[in-house]
Amino acid sequence: MGYLLTGGMVYQNGRIRRADLVVNHGRIEYIGEMIPENMLEKNPERLDMSGCVIAPGFVDLHVHLRTPGFEYKENTRSGTLAAAAGGYVTVCAMPNLNPVPDNLENLRVELDLIEKNACITVLPYGAITEGERGEKLSDLDALAPYVVGFSDDGRGVQDENMMSRAMRRVKKLNKFIAAHCEDERLLDKKWAAHDGILTKKFNLIGNVSESEWRQVKRDLKLVEQTGCQYHVCHVSTKESVNFIREAKRRGLPVTCETGPHYLVLCDEELQDDGKFKMNPPIRTKQDQEALIAGLSDGTIDCIATDHAPHSIEEKSRGLKGSLNGIIGMETAFPVLYTRLVKPGIVSLERILNALCIRPREIAGLSGGNLNPGDCADLTVLNLDYYYNINPEKFYSLGRSTPFDGWRVDAAVMMTIYHGEIVYRREKA
């Protein structure tokens, strides 16, 4: 089916400009200000994009679809529908599953579910170590052709020698490591939040910033030794930002991400509620400001949601007893636009680059330029659409978000995947 997307703006080559698009047979056939007459004749549906920005479809490098093994939290269908509602056309699924995709047989279970149930592209990660236990390398060679990269997300690889061996092998396989950086020696297993204002207020055990940045520092040393492409997951501390900025200055093959919640919240705003419990935790105002600065100057490459659904019961035990993880795909752009772009803190172009351009480059994906011939993976954004976030309306099975009830000023109106509309929001 073909579409004419008329009357809107487009984000292309780093800037936003006025243009119309023609989509035919799953690809962009034309982009420009004057659609040729012969194209007008063969496209059956005209879509009015007035007041909207059309961007390349978003890519999330860090989500948890919980399938196989934890379908009561999320499944491939619900998770990818949630992704489409958030403007995402590709998500990269973390491997803390059952079975863990640490060999080809286990990975095939996940791949079969993706093929049967996903409504957008899902690229799985393979585990760095067997069972994500940090004791023995996974079958990296067998997994490599089928995974976007390797991660033990949910746990940092504690043994330095093990991480060095993994980096050397992954380098030869031309893949990247997405590292959850956490030095468990510095943490009490019963930690509840960042070691700061909130833990003192509620007499809770804290998570110290050093538990993240010390392992970032260790791994950057290993990157220098091995040359492995290395991606730091969910950066939350000012020290991590500084170490990564310096590593990039020295030309190391390093990229990183942070989450929307780390950019728009600090621990002064949190409550003793499971919807504020995630790993790493939301940290101080100074950390938040360093993350925003890192995003603005390019130190932080992309924004990833770390979408991590749990059951209502698992998130009902406050900061002390709730499991780590919040949902994020259906709220990411509206929250980022409302809290960062509209007040003039970060440009819209920078946010879009972090949502749809840099993640593609890191994952080695083509497209993203909105050029004729490119696959028609598009996200349509209305920057003048006001509503209150209501988790009960989410496609995700998860409901726990710190943005519950927030008033936002923008919305994802439509997601087009391979030329087909997979999500459309009703106009206000």
Side-chain angles (χ1 to χ4, degrees), residues 313-335:
E313 193 278 329
E314 289 169 334
K315 296 296 289 182
S316 66
R317 310 168 194 155
L319 289 172
K320 187 175 182 180
S322 294
L323 296 184
N324 286 311
I326 59 170
I327 54 176
M329 292 186 289
E330 293 173 82
T331 58
F333 179 78
V335 165

Side-chain angles (χ1 to χ4, degrees), residues 303-352:
I303 300 170
T305 66
D306 194 6
H307 175 85
H310 293 291
S311 71
I312 292 173
E313 193 278 329
E314 289 169 334
K315 296 296 289 182
S316 66
R317 310 168 194 155
L319 289 172
K320 187 175 182 180
S322 294
L323 296 184
N324 286 311
I326 59 170
I327 54 176
M329 292 186 289
E330 293 173 82
T331 58
F333 179 78
V335 165
L336 291 165
Y337 180 82
T338 303
R339 290 300 180 100
L340 296 180
V341 177
K342 197 166 184 180
I345 298 170
V346 181
S347 72
L348 176 59
E349 291 85 351
R350 178 66 71 176
I351 294 293
L352 292 177

Side-chain angles (χ1 to χ4, degrees), residues 97-141:
L97 303 169
N98 185 20
V100 173
D102 51 15
N103 60 56
L104 194 51
E105 181 182 0
N106 289 353
L107 177 64
R108 281 183 175 139
V109 178
E110 182 182 3
L111 292 174
D112 288 345
L113 290 165
I114 291 169
E115 184 175 358
K116 291 175 183 176
N117 300 312
C119 68
I120 61 167
T121 296
V122 178
L123 303 176
Y125 283 97
I128 297 172
T129 64
E130 289 187 1
E132 294 191 314
R133 292 186 294 271
E135 299 169 356
K136 183 180 179 182
L137 288 181
S138 298
D139 192 352
L140 304 178
D141 292 59

Side-chain angles (χ1 to χ4, degrees), residues 202-275:
F202 293 107
N203 194 29
L204 299 170
I205 297 171
N207 175 309
V208 295
S209 295
E210 189 177 0
S211 64
E212 173 183 295
W213 65 253
R214 182 167 292 280
Q215 199 164 91
V216 170
K217 184 178 180 181
R218 180 203 76 178
D219 284 357
L220 291 174
K221 179 187 70 173
L222 297 178
V223 171
E224 190 164 21
Q225 295 170 358
T226 64
C228 178
Q229 183 67 46
Y230 176 75
H231 180 77
V232 188
C233 294
H234 42 50
V235 172
S236 71
T237 73
K238 59 184 184 295
E239 293 89 352
S240 295
V241 174
N242 289 334
F243 284 128
I244 293 165
R245 182 181 288 117
E246 175 60 19
K248 288 189 169 192
R249 189 191 66 78
R250 292 189 287 124
L252 296 184
V254 174
T255 58
C256 69
E257 68 189 45
T258 194
H261 39 293
Y262 303 117
L263 290 165
V264 303
L265 288 169
C266 70
D267 65 345
E268 298 170 21
E269 304 168 80
L270 308 189
Q271 304 163 28
D272 187 6
D273 188 309
K275 67 185 180 183

